[in-house]
């Protein structure tokens, strides 16, 4: 079958065979990419209109007990100046975001044991009490089911936890032995069962990634049916073991985004900061490939540069206000309107 026929098959079946995925990733050309992006964009506009949801992200700690080989805030990076925001700081970010119209706050951080279940739930409760019309999304890594349940009971409704790769051997090449794919998958399953709108995802072009791995990622997502999917190119960070590895390709990232949209028409898919870092027009291209969310940074300016997951991260030198303005302009430039509604996942 030709790649275009396989892409149309994906649209009707919402799944493909392993060999079909591999064929697309091995052989897609510019015309196939355009075809996939056009179809993905049409599907997105049909479901969501030309509207992009804004989510405010607060990066509240860069302390992390994990040592992921790709990540700039890994525990082993002694060049990273660590910070933590307390409840008051986080609420101030939300207040700022709320004034700008945000109705979703994403609390993201490293896996920082300082934020015990009690502390974190207190923070979530404070936000949901103060802003009952807002959704709180968590992105704080792997935790006990008990902790996840407590966050949910405190009012958090969404959780982002990229699976990073659905292949256990590849997972072991990206992480030390203390972190396993099995544990990651247990977390994702728990989150879904508890009732979170759950996000998974990968870095495209992460070191040692093959097209078989990408095929497995797509098949995992076909089965898991995440409500949200985070996709961005891998970008090396100078203070990590992967400093000399090549960055992921923007075109391949766009292909993965487009195919994900075609497979999961209702999903919330952010056009990521990594995409905007890899290429100046990256975030616009992401939207044209089927993304429907962007996540402006609400973190205080003083800490921005310390939350460097990869080199050159865009937006670390501007205020929340300026970041929002830039993103809004980027979306309007391609004919899209920014909306600040909660924007929950809907099975249409
Ligand atoms: N390049 C791109 N994305 C990265 N992430 C971490 N490090 C990098 C990097 N070097 C992504 C991971 C993680 C998310 C928070 O950021 O996929 O899940």
């Amino acid at each position: 079958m030709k790649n275009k026929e396989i892409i149309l098959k994906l649209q009707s079946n919402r799944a493909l065979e392993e060999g079909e995925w591999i064929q697309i990733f091995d052989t897609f050309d510019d015309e196939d990419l355009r075809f996939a992006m056009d179809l993905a964009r049409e599907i997105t506009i049909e479901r969501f209109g030309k509207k992009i949801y804004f989510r405010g992200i607060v990066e509240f700690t860069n302390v992390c007990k994990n040592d992921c080989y790709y990540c700039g805030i890994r525990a082993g990076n002694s060049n990273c100046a660590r910070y933590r925001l307390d409840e008051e700081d986080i609420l101030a970010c939300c207040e700022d975001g709320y004034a700008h119209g945000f109705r979703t706050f994403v609390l993201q951080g490293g896996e920082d044991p300082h934020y015990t279940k009690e502390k974190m739930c207190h923070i979530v409760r404070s936000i949901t009490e103060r802003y009952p019309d807002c959704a709180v999304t968590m992105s704080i890594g792997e935790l006990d089911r008990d902790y996840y349940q407590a966050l949910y009971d405190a009012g958090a409704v969404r959780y982002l936890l990229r699976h990073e790769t659905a292949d256990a051997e590849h997972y072991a090449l990206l992480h030390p032995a203390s972190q396993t794919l099995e544990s990651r998958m247990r977390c994702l399953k728990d989150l879904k069962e508890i009732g979170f709108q759950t996000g998974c995802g990968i870095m495209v072009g992460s070191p040692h990634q093959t097209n078989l791995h990408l095929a497995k990622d797509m098949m995992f997502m076909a089965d898991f049916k995440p409500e949200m999917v985070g996709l961005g190119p891998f970008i090396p960070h100078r203070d990590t073991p992967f400093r000399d590895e090549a960055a992921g390709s923007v075109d391949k990232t766009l292909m993965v985004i487009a195919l994900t949209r075609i497979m999961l028409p209702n999903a919330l898919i952010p056009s990521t900061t990594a995409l905007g870092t890899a290429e100046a027009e990256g975030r616009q291209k992401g939207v044209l490939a089927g993304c429907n969310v962007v996540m402006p940074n609400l973190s205080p300016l003083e800490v921005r540069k310390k939350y460097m997951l990869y080199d050159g991260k865009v937006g670390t030198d501007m205020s929340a206000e300026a970041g929002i303005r830039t993103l809004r302009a980027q979306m309007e430039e391609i004919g899209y309107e920014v909306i600040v509604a909660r924007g929950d996942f809907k099975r249409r």
Side-chain angles (χ1 to χ4, degrees):
M1 252 200 282
K2 291 216 171 75
N3 286 340
K4 286 182 191 163
E5 289 164 20
I6 298 181
I7 291 167
L8 290 172
K9 181 178 163 191
L10 174 63
Q11 185 187 16
S12 41
N13 293 7
R14 303 210 180 159
L16 292 174
E17 309 285 331
E18 188 177 276
E20 295 169 322
W21 285 117
I22 292 175
Q23 179 188 316
I24 295 185
F25 293 127
D26 277 349
T27 67
F28 80 88
D29 60 15
D30 289 350
E31 206 185 307
D32 295 325
L33 175 59
R34 196 165 330 116
F35 181 79
M37 283 176 66
D38 287 349
L39 179 59
R41 185 164 67 249
E42 238 171 73
I43 292 170
T44 316
I45 294 172
E46 195 239 315
R47 312 253 159 173
F48 300 95
K50 289 179 97 171
K51 294 183 177 19
I52 303 296
Y53 292 114
F54 252 26
R55 321 287 200 201
I57 179 160
V58 182
E59 297 157 338
F60 68 92
T61 172
N62 71 349
V63 178
C64 192
K65 66 177 164 69
N66 290 336
D67 224 2
C68 308
Y69 301 145
Y70 44 84
C71 184
I73 65 167
R74 64 200 300 268
N77 180 9
S78 51
N79 283 333
C80 175
R82 306 289 168 171
Y83 73 90
R84 288 182 173 124
L85 302 185
D86 63 19
E87 179 166 324
E88 204 183 317
D89 303 326
I90 297 171
L91 282 168
C93 295
C94 295
E95 189 178 331
D96 199 25
Y98 194 87
H100 281 98
F102 288 80
R103 294 300 176 265
T104 290
F105 301 118
V106 182
L107 302 190
Q108 187 176 84
E111 290 195 15
D112 180 354
H114 169 80
Y115 296 88
T116 58
K117 178 172 77 178
E118 289 68 30
K119 246 190 211 130
M120 207 66 243
C121 288
H122 195 275
I123 294 170
V124 170
R125 252 197 209 97
S126 300
I127 299 174
T128 52
E129 271 166 22
R130 201 174 290 193
Y131 306 108
D133 52 337
C134 291
V136 174
T137 302
M138 304 304 296
S139 179
I140 54 172
E142 295 192 15
L143 298 162
D144 295 344
R145 184 173 177 128
D146 197 45
Y147 194 145
Y148 286 151
Q149 183 68 56
L151 287 171
Y152 190 78
D153 295 340
V157 291
R158 305 186 195 130
Y159 204 105
L160 307 174
L161 181 66
R162 291 192 183 175
H163 64 289
E164 313 296 356
T165 172
D167 181 275
E169 283 168 28
H170 185 215
Y171 198 93
L173 294 170
L174 299 177
H175 307 95
S178 54
Q179 294 171 251
T180 64
L181 180 61
E182 196 189 349
S183 164
R184 185 59 57 108
M185 290 296 174
R186 187 231 94 215
C187 289
L188 284 167
K189 187 166 156 275
D190 283 349
L191 289 165
K192 259 234 162 166
E193 281 175 11
I194 288 168
F196 282 102
Q197 297 170 47
T198 305
C200 64
I202 60 163
M203 296 175 286
V204 177
S206 61
H208 311 294
Q209 184 183 66
T210 65
N211 289 336
L212 170 60
H213 297 149
L214 280 178
K216 288 189 174 180
D217 289 320
M218 299 309 290
M219 292 190 294
F220 162 66
M221 292 199 284
D223 179 53
F224 185 67
K225 298 184 177 58
E227 283 79 19
M228 302 169 290
V229 185
L231 299 164
F234 163 73
I235 300 172
H237 185 291
R238 67 175 85 88
D239 298 318
T240 64
F242 289 159
R243 63 179 66 86
D244 296 323
E245 301 286 337
S249 130
V250 169
D251 278 356
K252 199 167 191 181
T253 304
L254 294 171
M255 191 59 160
V256 173
I257 290 170
L259 296 171
T260 301
R261 167 61 65 208
I262 295 166
M263 180 168 81
L264 302 167
N266 298 320
L268 296 158
I269 306 178
S271 195
T272 51
T273 308
L275 199 49
T277 298
E279 209 178 284
E281 312 256 287
R283 266 192 293 216
Q284 295 89 314
K285 288 187 179 174
V287 169
L288 299 176
C291 293
N292 64 331
V293 173
V294 288
M295 297 166 60
N297 197 325
L298 296 180
S299 314
L301 194 53
E302 318 85 76
V303 305
R304 294 278 178 107
K305 281 206 191 311
K306 298 180 185 161
Y307 203 85
M308 280 286 182
L309 305 185
Y310 42 81
D311 287 337
K313 187 176 167 206
V314 290
T316 55
D317 53 357
M318 45 174 126
S319 65
E321 173 107 51
I324 294 164
R325 226 181 306 118
T326 306
L327 272 171
R328 191 184 296 273
Q330 287 177 346
M331 297 299 108
E332 287 172 356
E333 162 196 316
I334 52 171
Y336 282 74
E337 179 198 351
V338 163
I339 50 169
V340 284
R342 269 178 68 114
D344 286 297
F345 177 84
K346 290 192 191 82
R347 207 163 272 107
R348 284 149 230 254

